[in-house]
Amino acid sequence: KAGVTQTPRYLIKTRGQQVTLSCSPISGHRSVSWYQQTPGQGLQFLFEYFSETQRNKGNFPGRFSGRQFSNSRSEMNVSTLELGDSALYLCASSLVPGEGKGTEAFFGQGTRLTVV
Amino acid sequence: AQTVTQSQPEMSVQEAETVTLSCTYDTSESDYYLFWYKQPPSRQMILVIRQEAYKQQNATENRFSVNFQKAAKSFSLKISDSQLGDAAMYFCAYISNFGNEKLTFGTGTRLTIIP
């Protein structure tokens, strides 16, 4: 079956703009998590959605937001982009919330965002 | 807060040899999971192996095995018969089985395989 699909793969934006990233989970998976990966900070948890509800949120400013649709697809939005938002944004899907509940989290290939 | 530490930013190993990647973590909880993820140049994180804290037996997946020392809060990954395809970043990760759990990752170890 198809894996986790993230679009676009690459994105270049200017400071002050906003951006929307998309994640389509594996069919049947209802939980979607987002992570930011940078060389300096490593992998940091952004938020998790399950059944269209935000279940958990990391320590990021309000400029970072997300949502999940009824088909489990998820989007994350970053407004008023800053240079420091340049990162690889990874999405992971799993059957149920929490990768530790006996289910594996499957990751997409990420969206590489560059802010100039 | 839980933390995960990988003290080896880079490691290298000869093809067909064995290498061990280190990971330590800090938590006050007793019920949790530990993972090793692999991130090749394609950027996609792939689960290599998982360990449940309540299981004393070390997890094994083909050439990959772990040494889980719960009291010492240590979780190392051993790769036997290293292959060129094993070259990647390896991340150790922790998740609690309580509350609104989320994955906490270490900073990663870049593994190079020398032909």
Side-chain angles (χ1 to χ4, degrees):
Chain A
K1 55 185 177 181
V4 178
T5 303
Q6 290 189 246
T7 57
R9 292 287 305 278
Y10 300 90
L11 206 50
I12 300 176
K13 288 286 188 178
T14 305
R15 269 185 305 174
Q17 287 186 313
Q18 74 166 21
V19 67
T20 299
L21 312 182
S22 178
C23 172
S24 293
I26 291 173
S27 178
H29 285 195
R30 296 166 61 195
S31 176
V32 174
S33 298
W34 289 89
Y35 294 84
Q36 182 195 63
Q37 186 177 15
T38 59
Q41 298 295 320
L43 280 147
Q44 293 188 290
F45 171 78
L46 280 156
F47 23 65
E48 178 182 29
Y49 286 88
F50 177 68
S51 293
E52 302 178 65
T53 301
Q54 187 180 87
R55 191 171 172 274
N56 202 353
K57 189 177 189 305
N59 188 25
F60 278 81
R63 300 185 297 106
F64 291 81
S65 63
R67 59 178 175 170
Q68 186 180 34
F69 301 95
S70 58
N71 62 358
S72 294
R73 189 177 72 86
S74 178
E75 289 181 346
M76 68 163 281
N77 185 277
V78 187
S79 62
T80 319
L81 283 166
E82 301 177 359
L83 294 179
D85 297 333
S86 294
L88 178 67
Y89 290 88
L90 291 167
C91 161
S93 80
S94 58
L95 280 170
V96 295
E99 290 81 352
K101 301 295 187 195
T103 62
E104 177 179 345
F106 293 84
F107 283 80
Q109 289 185 286
T111 295
R112 172 79 67 188
L113 171 65
T114 302
V115 182
V116 297
Chain B
Q2 292 83 10
T3 58
V4 177
T5 302
Q6 293 178 250
S7 58
Q8 306 155 313
E10 297 183 358
M11 293 280 285
S12 60
V13 63
Q14 293 277 0
E15 194 175 0
E17 295 295 309
T18 296
V19 64
T20 299
L21 308 184
S22 301
C23 172
T24 58
Y25 59 95
D26 187 25
T27 183
S28 58
E29 298 176 354
S30 59
D31 190 7
Y32 51 87
Y33 289 80
L34 295 162
F35 305 84
W36 278 98
Y37 278 92
K38 168 185 176 181
Q39 187 178 40
S42 67
R43 308 182 325 202
Q44 187 166 17
M45 299 281 277
I46 302 164
L47 178 65
V48 174
I49 200 166
R50 92 177 75 195
Q51 175 79 43
E52 187 174 354
Y54 271 103
K55 289 187 177 177
Q56 294 187 342
Q57 186 173 8
N58 289 324
T60 299
E61 288 287 341
N62 301 313
R63 298 182 294 107
F64 299 87
S65 62
V66 298
N67 183 3
F68 174 48
Q69 303 289 329
K70 191 173 184 179
K73 296 179 183 174
S74 169
F75 183 61
S76 60
L77 174 70
K78 185 171 83 171
I79 306 174
S80 303
D81 186 25
S82 298
Q83 301 175 0
L84 294 178
D86 295 333
M89 281 289 289
Y90 286 81
F91 292 93
C92 178
Y94 164 102
I95 191 167
S96 166
N97 213 17
F98 293 104
N100 285 336
E101 59 279 355
K102 61 177 177 65
L103 273 173
T104 299
F105 287 89
T107 51
T109 296
R110 182 174 301 281
L111 179 64
T112 300
I113 310 297
I114 303 166

